[in-house]
Amino acid sequence: MSDRFTRFGLLVLLGLMAFSVATPWLERIFLATDAPRAIEARGDLAAQEQATVALFRAVSPSVLQVGSRGAQGAGAGTGFIWDTVGHAVTNHHVVDGARNVTVRLASGEVIGARVIGAAPNYDLAVLRLDTRSALPPPIPLGSSGDLAVGQSAFAIGNPYGLDQSLTTGVISALNRRLPTSGGRELADVIQTDAAINPGNSGGPLLDSAGRLIGVNTAIFSPSGANAGIGFAIPVDVVNRIVPQLIRDGRVPTPGIGIMAAEEEAAMHAGVEGIIVARTLPGSPALKAGLRGFEDAGGEGDIIVGVEGRKVRRLADLTRALEGKRMGETVTLDIIRNGAALSLRVEIADIGER
């Protein structure tokens, strides 16, 4: 009786194991289907998704792919329609030294363009599009003066040549400083974590209303790819510079002609001010007697104030000078060998140097 019960139990166990092994095979034979699966209905897009889709549809036709060719090879970037008469804006470094410039519209149409104005110290350039066809509308302008860290930011551009790409993020910092050519710094730069990669340069940074709040210009990345830190020229600066470029082809750059030391050097030295590394030949700073540490063998000047207001970094001085006219003089408060001095320095157009 016991042996019979044992054999019966083994048979049941073997049957269960066989069924378990055969189940997937049986399912494939009897339950599989070669017909398309039914599509599940979905509800409306979330309100945030709808807003982002609407923003891209409204603005993307006004975003351009910019290609340039010059003595130093080919360049590529992004631009956008500025006005209704065929002007477009991009970064200066996208078209610097270009002999030929072409743009591709969102429609796919390729047209010629020419650089009619450039401001290297602001990394901005204006293109005139060579077409009589109707162009997409200009992107509405916002303001960069009332931005807040944490608000949404949207970038449209052509990273790695992949046109009409949208990335989203937030404004991650304000009042950043961006070095430009000639030892100058651009103040009040916008920082965003919206992905910006090579090819995005010159493209628009937008707020959630689809308004232009900045021009994407640079990334901070050891690898050269997006690392979550991108920078944009604030639209308040763009809206001041671009009309001058359209009218005159260039923008006077008020300055005194100094090269400042890196801010890290000032921080490590415990200095709150601008360490003058050197003064440029023939500059107002040199004529006024300002001394650079490299010029004077370690006995240079530290600028700590302008017109009675403290300056802690080069961007503070740049901001103060931009409100002055060429030929005006300003009083600089400096520290030289531990002693406080004041110097009167004339403001000149350092962009002509």
Side-chain angles (χ1 to χ4, degrees), residues 291-313:
R291 300 177 184 175
F293 276 79
E294 296 177 9
D295 304 326
E299 299 294 332
D301 296 332
I302 302 167
I303 302 173
V304 295
V306 56
E307 295 293 288
R309 290 182 295 178
K310 285 186 177 181
V311 295
R312 295 179 171 86
R313 51 181 65 96

Side-chain angles (χ1 to χ4, degrees), residues 256-276:
I256 59 174
I258 64 169
M259 296 291 289
E262 296 289 337
E263 287 188 10
E264 289 77 5
M267 181 184 67
H268 291 313
V271 171
E272 191 173 86
I274 304 166
I275 296 178
V276 180

Side-chain angles (χ1 to χ4, degrees), residues 75-330:
T78 302
F80 56 91
I81 301 294
W82 177 258
D83 58 25
T84 59
V85 295
H87 293 116
V89 172
T90 187
N91 280 151
H92 173 260
H93 76 259
V94 171
V95 294
D96 185 20
R99 295 196 187 100
N100 299 297
V101 179
T102 56
V103 301
R104 184 190 299 275
L105 303 180
S107 65
E109 180 184 359
V110 177
I111 57 178
R114 53 195 172 89
V115 180
I116 65 164
N121 283 312
Y122 298 93
D123 199 14
L124 291 171
V126 173
L127 307 176
R128 181 63 186 257
L129 306 184
D130 297 331
T131 180
R132 295 184 179 180
S133 302
L135 291 168
I139 298 176
L141 289 188
S143 171
S144 50
D146 57 358
L147 297 177
V149 172
Q151 76 177 76
S152 297
F154 304 82
I156 301 178
N158 308 290
Y160 301 107
L162 302 172
D163 64 332
Q164 296 289 294
S165 294
L166 170 70
T167 56
T168 66
V170 298
I171 293 172
S172 52
L174 294 167
N175 302 317
R176 292 300 194 211
R177 302 173 308 280
L178 187 66
T180 59
S181 61
R184 190 176 176 84
E185 279 190 344
L186 189 60
D188 302 325
V189 170
I190 303 165
Q191 179 182 307
T192 180
D193 68 348
I196 296 174
N197 283 294
N200 277 109
S201 293
L205 186 70
L206 310 161
D207 65 11
S208 57
R211 304 180 309 163
L212 182 72
I213 57 173
V215 176
N216 299 319
T217 188
I219 60 174
F220 175 80
S221 171
S223 67
N226 174 60
I229 301 178
F231 300 104
I233 304 164
V235 71
D236 292 351
V237 173
V238 178
N239 202 23
R240 175 170 58 85
I241 298 301
V242 168
Q244 296 181 67
L245 293 180
I246 293 173
R247 183 180 64 245
D248 304 322
R250 63 178 304 275
V251 174
T253 306
I256 59 174
I258 64 169
M259 296 291 289
E262 296 289 337
E263 287 188 10
E264 289 77 5
M267 181 184 67
H268 291 313
V271 171
E272 191 173 86
I274 304 166
I275 296 178
V276 180
R278 59 189 176 90
T279 55
L280 300 180
S283 66
L286 181 63
K287 294 175 182 177
L290 204 64
R291 300 177 184 175
F293 276 79
E294 296 177 9
D295 304 326
E299 299 294 332
D301 296 332
I302 302 167
I303 302 173
V304 295
V306 56
E307 295 293 288
R309 290 182 295 178
K310 285 186 177 181
V311 295
R312 295 179 171 86
R313 51 181 65 96
L314 185 58
D316 297 332
L317 177 61
T318 299
R319 189 183 296 113
L321 297 182
E322 283 182 343
K324 303 294 183 179
R325 295 189 302 271
M326 305 302 160
E328 281 192 71
T329 59
V330 293

